[in-house]
Amino acid sequence: TVVAMTGGMMLMSDDLTKLRHTRFRIITRIFPLTGASAVALDLHRPSKIGIPCLLRLWCTDESRVDMNESVRGSVTTDDEKDEKTYDHTELSIQTSRAAAFFPDRSPSNPFLRIRNCVRVAEGLGKWSVVSVSNWSDIPMTVSEPLSTFLPPASRDSVDTSSSSKLGFHVLAFWGSKYSWIPHQRGGKQRTLGKRLDPHETEIFHVKPVRDEPQYIGSDIHFTCGHEVRFFRASDCWLELGLNNYCRRSGYIFVFLPKCGDGIKATVNGKCGHFELVSTISPDGDGPPGKVLRLWVTVRGDGSDNDGLISMMF
């Protein structure tokens, strides 16, 4: 988790041919690395053993924070990219280059937090990725105020990320557990946390709820967005494609607002199976929204339907 969040070098010294499937899957869920480096939120108030336990990244589909003008010309758009020759290190290199220091380039605006930002497919929105760790040798509950987990505000617009009237989607990545935090009108500050075993870590994703179909995340990649190639949605359907340059499998979570029971899902061109995880009423008016979980297998064979998910509701 720490390697993934900090964007450091991932070196595997194990004999991969002898790893159990459950252990090997841990590697696939943090690969590829993003090139972004998390900020330690408790750097100046570390745990009793002197190691920060809170690391935060944020993800966004806003292109203006991808990188500044001097390196933007090197970006390869989705339309220009040849999926058959996909280079999974490209985004990592671009992100690192954008945040690096160059003597002949003016410094970037520190409030953009480019070094801590992961660019994702258009339509996915903005959310925060926060890891909480227990470095002690005894079980411990690690918790922080909800405001610690919220994504940063936009620099040039009125941002409702920190005061969403519809609440927040919260997805615990390693536990693959979803919860909804409703909007709070004053009162005691909410906290978010988990009881962790010794040297255990959890990654929380916090995304503001919107009154439209949303991709909440998955247990396929630790960012809950880097695995998505494209996302499109309307009032009665959504379609998304997962990166299919290698074999992957896992659950994805989607939110469908104010939908009935007539939901149909297609995965890889075949009938897909889903289960209801939660029913929420963000605005308290009309039919409730539904959070669904679907099992997806990406074959990595380059076929047209590989990694393609569509839903009608």
Side-chain angles (χ1 to χ4, degrees), residues 172-187:
F173 176 74
W174 292 118
S176 194
K177 300 292 185 182
Y178 170 85
S179 59
W180 170 58
I181 298 181
H183 173 62
Q184 185 179 23
R185 296 180 176 85

Side-chain angles (χ1 to χ4, degrees), residues 188-208:
K188 187 177 180 180
Q189 169 83 311
R190 279 196 177 95
T191 60
L192 182 61
K194 183 179 180 179
R195 183 169 178 80
L196 301 172
D197 290 331
H199 301 276
E200 182 184 7
T201 299
E202 183 59 272
I203 302 177
F204 289 103
H205 298 78
V206 181
K207 174 181 288 190

Side-chain angles (χ1 to χ4, degrees), residues 34-39 56-60 62-72 91-100 105-119 152 155:
T34 63
S37 182
V39 59
R56 184 178 66 188
L57 293 169
W58 66 291
C59 302
T60 183
E62 297 176 353
S63 59
R64 67 176 181 273
V65 299
D66 185 33
M67 54 192 62
N68 51 34
E69 294 294 341
S70 61
V71 294
R72 185 169 296 152
L91 179 59
S92 176
I93 294 172
Q94 291 178 357
T95 304
S96 298
R97 184 183 300 165
R105 191 175 76 193
S106 59
S108 61
N109 186 343
F111 294 101
L112 294 182
R113 297 178 175 88
I114 294 177
R115 193 69 184 94
N116 318 125
C117 175
V118 179
R119 174 106 190 278
R155 56 172 176 163

Side-chain angles (χ1 to χ4, degrees), residues 22 58 91 95 113 137 148 163 178 210 216-217 230-231:
T22 53
W58 66 291
L91 179 59
T95 304
R113 297 178 175 88
D137 295 325
T148 303
S163 59
Y178 170 85
R210 299 199 303 253
I216 298 173
F230 67 85
F231 178 84

Side-chain angles (χ1 to χ4, degrees), residues 17 68 70 79 85 88 104 119-120 137 164 198 207 216 262 282:
T17 63
N68 51 34
S70 61
D79 293 335
T85 58
H88 54 72
D104 58 346
R119 174 106 190 278
V120 294
D137 295 325
S164 174
K207 174 181 288 190
I216 298 173

